[in-house]
Amino acid sequence: MYDNLEDHVSHSHQEPHFDSPDTSSFEKQVEGLKQTLLSKGLITQVELEEMIAELDQRTPFDGAQIIARAWTERDFRNRLIANGTKAVSELGYHPPDDFQSLVVLANTEFLHHLIVCTLCSCYPRWLLGRPPDWYKSIAYRSRAVSDPRGILNEFGVTLDPNISIRVVDSTAEVRYMVLPLRPSGTDNLNMKELVGLITRDSLIGVGLPHSPSVG
Amino acid sequence: MDNLLGHTETYSAGDLVRVSYDSRIMEHVRTPLYIQGKCGTIVKSHGKFANPEKLAYGLQSSPKVHLYMVEFYLVNIWTTAYANDSHDSICLDIFEHWLTSI
């Protein structure tokens, strides 16, 4: 699904290869669960298709628009950091369930955030779409919490040793998104141009936004 | 957060806490084993949420519990793999009944 997004949000040029788990047994379990729910009438085929369609509508372009707005409007940025759920609702983005909330983590000159879900694959799907496969891999989930600098190096990001890393493990109903630092030399760019610099990976913290010369 | 009921969260930002160690690893808990028994600092309260340890067993009406963002230095978790001067950290969301003051 990300292939047709290249015009808007491009990926890191460097993406490490993480081993994929054997999915065949999971596929059988999912199919079994689906058939059971359908046969018991707990869910209909139409509802299932609507949920999938809703999920497929979301892409990292949504998250990028929010970040570009935070880069250009200080008041919005402050509201976004203070209460992410409330601030993005101003732009028409609402969590899929009432109980889910959003916290936006602002990177600074001295602090870089990296998001993971060690228990499963929690991800702000309602702002970024489906997570990439590597996000769900055992390798990423275990190494992000034990060797975040190593992970970042493999994604082509080498942070200055003076910048601390804060890994955030999404263990409950809160979803996290990174607010990356605005690249220098972007003062004269319009919103569309800024959005074009914001990669999906920079919203997870495994990448940085493009600089204008590259973007 | 809970003033309407006449009480508030037990912890606030900056409080030092220890995560319980719990051997019920086969049950549905959201506190990963790697953080159990470790000491950290409360970053913020997220408010109250349904308890996933009850929801997983169909107990929909169990009381909501306070959830906190808690920060730990990685050097305190992976003692051999991290340089002592590193300020790299990890935050997890942990339910109140897993925490004790230190």
Side-chain angles (χ1 to χ4, degrees), chain A:
Chain A
M1 64 170 284
Y2 290 116
D3 292 346
N4 48 15
L5 283 175
E6 294 294 337
D7 293 341
H8 305 297
V9 179
S10 51
H11 299 177
S12 284
H13 296 293
Q14 188 176 353
E15 193 162 286
H17 174 77
F18 290 116
D19 53 324
S20 313
D22 174 19
T23 55
S24 57
S25 67
F26 291 121
E27 282 168 13
K28 283 179 195 154
Q29 284 179 39
V30 168
E31 189 57 28
L33 180 63
K34 186 177 120 184
Q35 290 308 331
T36 305
L37 292 171
L38 288 172
S39 67
K40 287 184 182 293
L42 293 168
I43 191 170
T44 66
Q45 185 68 35
V46 172
E47 286 171 329
L48 198 60
E49 283 165 13
E50 279 173 0
M51 277 190 265
I52 293 170
E54 169 67 22
L55 197 55
D56 281 344
Q57 277 179 15
R58 295 295 169 205
T59 72
F61 182 59
D62 296 300
Q65 303 235 62
I66 294 165
I67 297 305
R69 173 119 184 233
W71 280 352
T72 50
E73 289 180 35
R74 177 150 289 274
D75 286 349
F76 179 73
R77 177 194 154 88
N78 292 342
R79 292 199 299 278
L80 189 64
I81 294 169
N83 186 334
T85 322
K86 205 172 157 192
V88 300
S89 74
E90 296 171 24
L91 306 180
Y93 297 104
H94 303 282
D97 302 294
D98 290 341
F99 54 83
Q100 207 178 87
S101 62
L102 174 75
V103 169
V104 175
L105 306 159
N107 284 348
T108 72
E109 281 177 82
F110 306 107
L111 184 63
H112 180 89
H113 290 90
L114 176 72
I115 297 171
V116 65
C117 171
T118 59
L119 297 175
C120 46
S121 56
C122 296
Y123 187 81
R125 287 172 168 78
W126 52 289
L127 297 175
L128 302 183
R130 294 175 200 255
D133 284 343
W134 55 256
Y135 185 84
K136 298 180 271 186
S137 71
I138 298 287
Y140 177 74
R141 286 156 54 198
S142 54
R143 289 187 51 218
V145 297
S146 58
D147 182 23
R149 279 180 200 270
I151 287 273
L152 286 176
N153 281 338
E154 288 175 35
F155 274 93
V157 177
T158 307
L159 293 181
D160 187 287
N162 293 327
I163 301 176
S164 294
I165 298 178
R166 186 195 241 179
V167 183
V168 179
D169 189 357
S170 320
T171 50
E173 305 308 339
V174 180
R175 296 294 173 270
Y176 291 95
M177 182 167 75
V178 176
L179 168 51
L181 279 177
R182 180 174 176 166
S184 55
T186 57
D187 289 355
N188 297 322
L189 298 191
N190 62 32
M191 279 289 281
K192 194 179 170 207
E193 289 165 328
L194 287 173
V195 167
L197 301 178
I198 300 165
T199 63
R200 176 198 67 199
D201 288 358
S202 70
L203 305 176
I204 311 171
V206 295
L208 301 173
H210 293 308
S211 51
S213 53
V214 178

Side-chain angles (χ1 to χ4, degrees), chain A residues 145-146 148 167, chain B residues 72-79 82 88-90:
Chain A
V145 297
S146 58
V167 183
Chain B
F72 306 81
Y73 283 121
L74 284 176
V75 66
N76 291 338
I77 298 173
W78 320 108
T79 44
Y82 251 84
D88 292 352
S89 67
I90 185 160

Side-chain angles (χ1 to χ4, degrees), chain B residues 26-97:
Chain B
M26 297 306 287
E27 292 182 22
H28 184 87
V29 299
R30 296 282 186 85
T31 309
L33 201 56
Y34 75 85
I35 213 68
Q36 294 187 19
K38 305 295 182 186
C39 297
T41 308
I42 303 283
V43 175
K44 65 184 284 187
S45 165
H46 290 305
K48 287 177 111 177
F49 290 84
N51 185 350
E53 293 158 30
K54 304 288 185 197
L55 282 184
Y57 301 98
L59 303 168
Q60 306 288 342
S61 58
S62 71
K64 290 188 172 184
V65 280
H66 283 298
L67 179 70
Y68 299 91
M69 187 182 197
V70 190
E71 185 167 30
F72 306 81
Y73 283 121
L74 284 176
V75 66
N76 291 338
I77 298 173
W78 320 108
T79 44
T80 52
Y82 251 84
N84 278 332
D85 59 350
S86 169
H87 289 97
D88 292 352
S89 67
I90 185 160
C91 292
L92 292 89
D93 292 332
I94 301 180
F95 287 95
E96 187 167 283
H97 57 277

